[in-house]
Amino acid sequence: MFSLFYGLWEYLVSKTEFHVLILGIDKAGKTTLLEKLKAQYSSVEGLPPDRIVPTVGLNIGRIETSNSKLVFWDLGGQPGLRSIWEKYYEEAHAVIFVVDASCPSRFEDSKSALEKVLRHEDLHGAPLLVLANKQDLGDAVSAEELARYLDLKKLDERAYTFEGVSGYDGTGIKEIVNWLVDVMERSKRTEMLRVRAGVANSSGA
Ligand SMILES: Nc1nc2c(ncn2[C@@H]2O[C@H](COP(=O)(O)OP(=O)(O)OP(=O)(O)O)[C@@H](O)[C@H]2O)c(=O)[nH]1
């Protein structure tokens, strides 16, 4: 009886853990954003921008909100490293795609990288958040302008939105977290991943 109540209590107070992939071409500002997220939502101090180096492997960041735990996987965006991204698709609940909104000469590269991500079947239905980063710079385009450029009108099978952010001054960070938690809680993909995890656990995996 006690274990039944304990199990119920544990279920009620435990926080759901979500996995969020942070993708985007090199120098988009992924790691800088992750460090800002950590600084605002965890007890770990984020690295200052001048100590961040280009990512070669994977950076992991964990934050907690009142009812969820978010684990962020930040992957290197250099052309030779983008083939690694797909190894993480199956386990991701949602994707953040970061674009340097102050650098129009690289929008085409971002567009084709994002199209390739969205075509991959392992990400079917995963919610997508596209970030127009570096809004602290005067010449950065807005999230709406970037959305028009990326031409992502045909995403009816997944939840998606755009947000203007800055990894330097923290613009948009709260909106990122609120949107992700809200949409992942309601996502069919989350249900699918939960069921799969349940199957793995019950088979002893
Ligand atoms: N002004 C400004 N610069 C930024 C911002 N975010 C990142 N940067 C700068 O952009 C450059 C690239 O930032 P990173 O965070 O290393 O970019 P990344 O996308 O992780 O790059 P890779 O690891 O190569 O994939 C660095 O010089 C950062 O200081 C921002 O919000 N505003």
Side-chain angles (χ1 to χ4, degrees):
M1 190 58 131
F2 173 76
S3 66
L4 183 69
F5 278 119
Y6 182 74
L8 183 64
W9 179 81
E10 200 177 45
Y11 172 77
L12 290 172
V13 298
S14 68
K15 296 183 178 184
T16 313
E17 183 172 285
F18 297 112
H19 306 147
V20 182
L21 262 181
I22 308 182
L23 304 175
I25 67 171
D26 50 298
K27 300 190 183 70
K30 300 178 291 297
T31 309
T32 308
L33 267 173
L34 177 62
E35 294 301 320
K36 198 71 176 177
L37 272 161
K38 279 160 53 181
Q40 289 196 9
Y41 280 88
S42 74
S43 49
V44 180
E45 249 179 62
L47 279 177
D50 60 356
R51 290 195 38 214
I52 293 171
V53 294
T55 305
V56 176
L58 166 73
N59 296 310
I60 298 181
R62 297 170 199 278
I63 68 163
E64 281 196 37
T65 65
S66 52
N67 51 4
S68 309
K69 290 181 186 174
L70 271 60
V71 182
F72 293 95
W73 296 327
D74 159 35
L75 293 161
Q78 293 169 52
L81 299 174
R82 294 179 204 166
S83 58
I84 299 167
W85 294 358
E86 65 183 36
K87 297 195 187 331
Y88 295 85
Y89 290 170
E90 240 191 315
E91 301 301 326
H93 292 92
V95 175
I96 294 179
F97 194 89
V98 185
V99 179
D100 177 350
S102 73
C103 190
S105 63
R106 302 202 68 201
F107 285 175
E108 193 54 43
D109 193 7
S110 286
K111 186 170 191 270
S112 55
L114 177 56
E115 283 170 353
K116 193 165 177 210
V117 168
L118 296 178
R119 273 199 305 272
H120 203 289
E121 60 178 11
D122 287 352
L123 275 179
H124 182 75
L128 171 72
L129 175 54
V130 177
L131 300 180
N133 193 26
K134 309 196 184 179
Q135 291 296 316
D136 57 289
L137 297 175
D139 54 355
V141 302
S142 68
E144 291 71 25
E145 280 173 275
L146 182 68
R148 272 196 295 281
Y149 187 85
L150 296 177
D151 191 25
L152 287 172
K153 293 187 284 284
K154 301 163 247 68
L155 293 181
D156 45 3
E157 87 284 9
R158 72 178 81 231
Y160 81 100
T161 194
F162 292 86
E163 192 68 50
V165 299
S166 167
Y168 270 18
D169 65 20
T171 300
I173 296 282
K174 272 208 180 80
E175 287 79 359
I176 295 175
V177 173
N178 291 346
W179 188 83
L180 281 172
V181 170
D182 184 46
V183 84
M184 285 189 294
E185 282 290 356
R186 291 185 286 112
S187 157
K188 285 202 188 99
R189 183 176 171 88
T190 299
E191 275 317 306
M192 187 261 291
L193 292 179
R194 273 187 188 136
V195 169
R196 210 170 58 201
V199 169
N201 289 340
S202 64
S203 67

